[in-house]
Amino acid sequence: MGLFRNDPQRVRLESQDVELKATRAPWSLWADGFGKLGIRAIQIVVVVIVAAGIIFAIQQLTLVTIPLMIALILACAFTPVMNWMRRRGVPSVLATLITLLAIVIILSLLGWLIVWAVRDQWDELYSQAEEGVQHLIAWLQTLPFEFLQPEQIDEWLATLTDFVTSAQFGSGALAGVSAVANFVTGFVLMVTILFFFLKDGPQMWEFLLRPFRGENYLRARRIGDKTVSTLGSYVRGTATVAAVDAIGILIGLMILQVPLYIPLAVLVFLLAFIPIVGATVAGILAALVALVANGWVNALFVVGVVVLVNQLEGNFLQPFLMGRSMKLHAFVILVALTVGTVLGGIVGAILAVPITAALWGVVQVWDGPDTPARWARAKAPSEAR
């Protein structure tokens, strides 16, 4: 034993071991379960802070981000049209102008139909609504208990009159003018961005992919192709379903002689882009107009027409036209709608579901054309056990 006690090599190894243990001592606190949990917590906090910063920036730049997202979705929807014209030798600029003009005409026509129909039938609907409210008030006064008194009605009317003639209402009108100006600015910006997306979209994406190499480049290519495919399929499928819904409800409202049937049908078409909630809101609006104009029996028939059309859509049209590419659980759709509405209002609700579907599509091609990300793969029965 004494022969190795003063061995220089042994002494050097022992000193190195002591130094190594001293170096590892502070990090050993992070090696156990609580340490790993702390590391994960710090990572989650950092991710949440970054996500909150991105969301805050998007909310501050909605005049840019919303037209950008709408232009991207529309460009994805009309990509097959652009590719079809390019394959037949149509110059890129001419194909872009034709497609862009068609999109602007469709959007303008929808807006004009709503404004024209409401302006044409507003006086009739207003008089019928006033008469319906008077009948409702008269019926409430016949109830055996005191539900509504004439003094209360006069007080409410006076409050409404004071509000209309107040400075607050004027400031609200100015805010409305500002909102219209922002809408026009956003629409012009959306059309401009859409022009460049249609004309130079593939070249723009190739430019963004320049920093990637090897597998990362292939993954980025898959992500781009899947995003374009998913967003395009969503818009085309939803627009077809919405058109069928609008035509069906339009025919039903015309047969039942409900006023404002044209703007109601246009609203049905637009609200169909908000899954689950949109159909319900459209049915309620149509039933309310029928109730005010034609009575409760007519309103019940309108509800029946809306339910019939929605059943046709849910059981036949959506599975046939949209397939499994947009297969999202109802819970995921509701959460996405809620988050989108909180962050972006009505526009956020419209964009939430296609963005969620595109993100899920990216997960499905993360590790290969038909290979989802590792955490999203279905487990085999042996692995589940």
Side-chain angles (χ1 to χ4, degrees):
M1 297 293 292
L3 296 176
F4 299 97
R5 186 169 299 170
N6 297 322
D7 186 2
Q9 184 177 2
R10 181 182 179 86
V11 173
R12 187 170 62 254
L13 292 175
E14 289 179 352
S15 63
Q16 291 177 354
D17 186 57
V18 171
E19 293 177 359
L20 184 60
K21 290 181 178 179
T23 304
R24 290 180 176 177
W27 296 104
S28 63
L29 297 174
W30 300 94
D32 59 358
F34 286 106
K36 294 179 180 178
L37 179 62
I39 293 174
R40 289 292 180 266
I42 294 174
Q43 292 173 339
I44 292 173
V45 170
V46 172
V47 171
V48 170
I49 291 175
V50 173
I54 294 174
I55 293 174
F56 178 78
I58 291 175
Q59 287 181 323
Q60 299 303 312
L61 299 173
T62 53
L63 191 60
V64 176
T65 55
I66 290 179
L68 180 66
M69 288 303 306
I70 295 176
L72 175 62
I73 293 176
L74 290 176
C76 293
F78 284 88
T79 295
V81 178
M82 291 292 299
N83 293 336
W84 181 83
M85 285 192 287
R86 284 169 177 160
R87 286 195 301 267
R88 279 154 180 78
V90 180
S92 181
V93 175
L94 181 58
T96 301
L97 291 176
I98 293 174
T99 305
L100 188 63
L101 182 61
I103 295 173
V104 172
I105 289 176
I106 292 173
L107 295 178
S108 302
L109 181 61
L110 291 176
W112 178 80
L113 279 175
I114 295 177
V115 173
W116 169 77
V118 171
R119 184 182 61 184
D120 186 60
Q121 302 183 24
W122 178 254
D123 294 337
E124 177 186 356
L125 184 65
Y126 177 80
S127 61
Q128 290 176 341
E130 183 180 11
E131 182 181 355
V133 170
Q134 291 177 355
H135 283 302
L136 177 61
I137 294 175
W139 176 77
L140 291 175
Q141 291 176 347
T142 61
L143 296 176
F145 50 88
E146 294 183 357
F147 185 81
L148 196 63
Q149 295 297 326
E151 294 80 8
Q152 292 177 323
I153 300 175
D154 295 338
E155 182 180 355
W156 292 345
L157 292 176
T159 303
L160 179 62
T161 303
D162 293 339
F163 173 74
V164 171
T165 57
S166 65
Q168 182 180 2
F169 181 81
S171 62
L174 292 177
V177 173
S178 176
V180 172
N182 289 337
F183 172 80
V184 173
T185 303
F187 183 79
V188 173
L189 181 61
M190 186 270 294
V191 172
T192 304
I193 296 174
L194 180 58
F195 172 82
F196 290 108
F197 278 168
L198 291 173
K199 180 178 177 293
D200 300 322
Q203 291 81 358
M204 290 180 178
W205 185 242
E206 285 294 337
F207 175 79
L208 294 176
L209 295 183
R210 286 183 180 181
F212 298 98
R213 295 291 183 274
E215 177 58 32
N216 292 331
Y217 175 80
L218 296 177
R219 176 176 292 160
R221 290 280 302 182
R222 291 196 303 269
I223 289 175
D225 294 340
K226 187 64 176 180
T227 300
V228 172
S229 174
T230 302
L231 293 178
S233 299
Y234 175 84
V235 174
R236 292 189 297 270
T238 304
T240 305
V241 172
V244 174
D245 288 353
I247 293 174
I249 291 180
L250 174 64
I251 294 174
L253 295 180
M254 291 176 63
I255 294 175
L256 295 173
Q257 298 182 351
V258 177
L260 298 178
Y261 50 84
I262 293 180
L264 286 174
V266 175
L267 284 178
V268 168
F269 177 82
L270 297 177
L271 290 174
F273 286 87
I274 306 178
I276 301 176
V277 179
T280 303
V281 174
I284 292 174
L285 290 176
L288 286 177
V289 173
L291 177 64
V292 171
N294 301 338
W296 63 272
V297 176
N298 194 273
L300 289 178
F301 279 111
V302 170
V303 172
V305 171
V306 172
V307 170
L308 179 63
V309 172
N310 288 334
Q311 289 298 315
L312 174 65
E313 168 201 332
N315 295 325
F316 297 99
L317 291 179
Q318 283 192 352
F320 176 74
L321 293 175
M322 306 182 71
R324 300 185 61 85
S325 62
M326 289 296 302
K327 190 67 174 179
L328 294 175
H329 195 277
F331 175 77
V332 177
I333 294 177
L334 289 175
V335 172
L337 288 175
T338 303
V339 174
T341 304
V342 171
L343 296 179
I346 296 178
V347 177
I350 295 175
L351 299 178
V353 176
I355 292 175
T356 303
L359 293 176
W360 180 244
V362 168
V363 173
Q364 297 300 306
V365 297
W366 186 259
D367 288 336
D370 298 312
T371 307
R374 184 172 302 173
W375 58 268
R377 298 175 191 173
K379 296 184 181 298
S382 59
E383 296 176 346
R385 289 194 298 267

